[in-house]
Amino acid sequence: MKKFIACFCILFIGAVAYFHQTLSREVLDVYHSFVVYAAVPEQIPLKLHTLDDQGNPILDSYTYTYHLTAVDNQKHTQQITYERSGETVIPLAPKTYIRAFILFGHLIGTPKPIELSKVPTTILAQLELNQLQHQQHLKWTANNP
């Protein structure tokens, strides 16, 4: 009887470890599919009055609106819009990187600044390529009004 209980315990622990590992991997895959990275542009957007739902300016409140190209772990890119608002709003630091969570094309929560070393190299290469294309587009637009 003791051998049966010992074998059962060993099999039970093995099954729990297997399912824990499998479920953890699936949860991480889902988690990573919502994570995107973006490069903050060199140019700070205009600081404009915040508008209410009817389009009227809110006194003592200002907004910076960012249009960013986000890249996920599968190197898919998408355009996202992020606004920072408030009485003493501070813009994102230029030429830095952020990590954000996205669901159905919309940001969830506030993007967080991230160190360059924490950005996956494949994503960093894609972000740098997007920045270069954007800078070339800006130069072309300035030269061809």
Side-chain angles (χ1 to χ4, degrees):
M1 181 70 173
K2 289 181 181 180
K3 289 182 182 180
F4 174 75
I5 292 174
C7 287
F8 177 76
C9 288
I10 291 172
L11 288 174
F12 180 74
I13 291 171
V16 167
Y18 171 77
F19 286 115
H20 179 266
Q21 181 181 4
T22 303
L23 289 175
S24 296
R25 190 177 311 124
E26 289 176 10
V27 167
L28 283 176
D29 288 345
V30 169
Y31 168 81
H32 286 299
S33 67
F34 296 125
V35 175
V36 293
Y37 299 87
V40 178
E42 183 177 348
Q43 184 178 4
I44 297 173
L46 294 175
K47 183 179 181 179
L48 302 172
H49 276 284
T50 304
L51 303 177
D52 63 13
D53 294 338
Q54 288 78 31
N56 300 320
I58 299 172
L59 298 178
D60 298 330
S61 182
Y62 299 94
T63 300
Y64 290 103
T65 303
Y66 289 90
H67 302 285
L68 305 170
T69 301
V71 179
D72 65 13
N73 286 327
Q74 287 77 35
K75 293 202 254 179
H76 297 121
T77 60
Q78 59 181 316
Q79 300 299 316
I80 57 173
T81 301
Y82 170 59
E83 293 183 346
R84 291 187 94 161
S85 301
E87 289 182 24
T88 57
V89 65
I90 299 172
L92 293 170
K95 299 175 82 174
T96 59
Y97 295 91
I98 59 169
R99 182 179 72 188
F101 296 95
I102 197 163
L103 183 61
F104 301 117
H106 300 285
L107 284 174
I108 301 172
T110 303
K112 304 287 186 227
I114 187 170
E115 297 176 21
L116 179 64
S117 61
K118 302 282 184 185
V119 179
T121 54
T122 56
I123 292 174
L124 184 60
Q126 184 70 32
L127 288 173
E128 289 175 350
L129 178 63
N130 291 342
Q131 280 184 318
L132 179 62
Q133 290 172 342
H134 180 70
Q135 288 171 353
Q136 289 174 342
H137 175 73
L138 290 177
K139 286 180 184 175
W140 184 86
T141 304
N143 293 333
N144 300 311

